[in-house]
Amino acid sequence: MAVLHHRAGTEQNAGVRARVFSFRSQRHTRPSPTRFFALVDGVFAIATTLLVLELHTPRDVASGRLGHELGKLAGSFGAYAFGFLQTFGGWSVSHRLSARLKGIDQWMVLSLGIGLAFVSLIPFSTAVLAESRHDPANLRTAVALVTGLGFLSTLTLVIATFHAWNAGLMIEEYTREHFDWLSRLMIAALVGFAAAFALSFVNAYLALVPTIAGYLATLLPLRMDEFPVAASG
């Protein structure tokens, strides 16, 4: 009898060990997304701050020449403004998503975490863009890097959003109509980044137009803001 009990206990423990890992979202814990998006906020804040470190004050400036020396930094300030638009626009999108989630599972953590890896590269790609502005060939490569990172980070967000809907992680008030509208908007953003990436090998400055327009759109009061959000607190 004791042997049978021991065997049953062993089989039960083996079953528990076999279920330690699960690829099914339904079996994942679904905590509040607050802590994860606090990490997201921190990554965006650090990336935004690092952009400023690429701006260097003029050295050994002759009397009355400060304005002229600052004018030489116009390209660096332009790259900084573009990098800031990237980080602020990306944060705005993540903020809108977090306001409509009632929970988060491991698949969303992984997808959005990969997206944060691309966000962390924004200061680097911005510095490359600033350093390459005087060489047309290098500028095309730099813009390809920027738009490529934008496409990849947006792709991870799209994957996370589609998964959130299919896994039932959105708040109950968020209807199919809301999701369909958001889906069209996100697919359009992906297409825009893909087009900008392809265009960057032809005309770097022209490729920046849809990229900047896309980031500006994330800051506008879109129809998404009319949709329900999770109750705070």
Side-chain angles (χ1 to χ4, degrees):
M1 191 70 179
V3 173
L4 292 177
H5 179 74
H6 174 73
R7 181 178 299 175
T10 303
E11 291 176 353
Q12 183 178 11
N13 290 337
V16 171
R17 287 195 296 271
R19 293 194 297 271
V20 168
F21 301 103
S22 176
F23 294 100
R24 297 182 180 180
S25 174
Q26 295 82 355
R27 293 181 177 178
H28 295 178
T29 58
R30 299 186 173 192
S32 168
T34 303
R35 289 194 64 186
F36 178 79
F37 280 96
L39 170 64
V40 173
D41 292 346
V43 171
F44 275 107
I46 293 172
T48 303
T49 304
L50 289 176
L51 293 172
V52 183
L53 299 181
E54 296 301 323
L55 298 176
H56 304 288
T57 57
R59 300 290 183 180
D60 302 322
V61 180
S63 177
R65 299 289 296 173
L66 180 59
H68 176 74
E69 294 298 324
L70 288 176
K72 293 181 179 179
L73 298 177
S76 296
F77 278 107
Y80 164 78
F82 179 70
F84 183 85
L85 181 61
Q86 286 181 283
T87 55
F88 192 43
W91 175 85
S92 177
V93 173
S94 70
H95 172 70
R96 282 169 166 154
L97 173 62
S98 67
R100 289 160 181 87
L101 291 174
K102 62 181 179 181
I104 189 170
D105 66 2
Q106 191 62 22
W107 287 122
M108 283 201 70
V109 170
L110 290 175
S111 179
L112 294 174
I114 294 172
L116 289 181
F118 297 126
V119 170
S120 301
L121 289 173
I122 289 178
F124 169 75
S125 63
T126 301
V128 172
L129 185 65
E131 293 293 331
S132 305
R133 66 186 185 276
H134 298 302
D135 185 287
N138 289 342
L139 182 61
R140 288 193 294 270
T141 302
V143 173
L145 173 64
V146 168
T147 54
L149 289 176
F151 176 85
L152 292 173
S153 61
T154 303
L155 179 61
T156 61
L157 183 67
V158 170
I159 292 173
T161 303
F162 273 71
H163 172 73
W165 172 258
N166 292 323
L169 296 171
M170 295 287 193
I171 58 176
E172 301 299 333
E173 297 84 357
Y174 202 75
T175 67
R176 182 74 198 192
E177 178 190 359
H178 303 149
F179 176 71
D180 288 343
W181 186 90
L182 177 61
S183 299
R184 289 191 293 269
L185 186 67
M186 299 182 80
I187 296 301
L190 276 179
V191 172
F193 274 118
F197 178 78
L199 191 58
S200 66
F201 295 99
V202 180
N203 189 310
Y205 289 105
L206 190 59
L208 287 175
V209 173
T211 306
I212 294 174
Y215 281 117
L216 286 174
T218 65
L219 305 178
L220 297 176
L222 303 177
R223 184 189 171 194
M224 187 193 309
D225 296 316
E226 302 174 7
F227 296 165
V229 298
S232 60

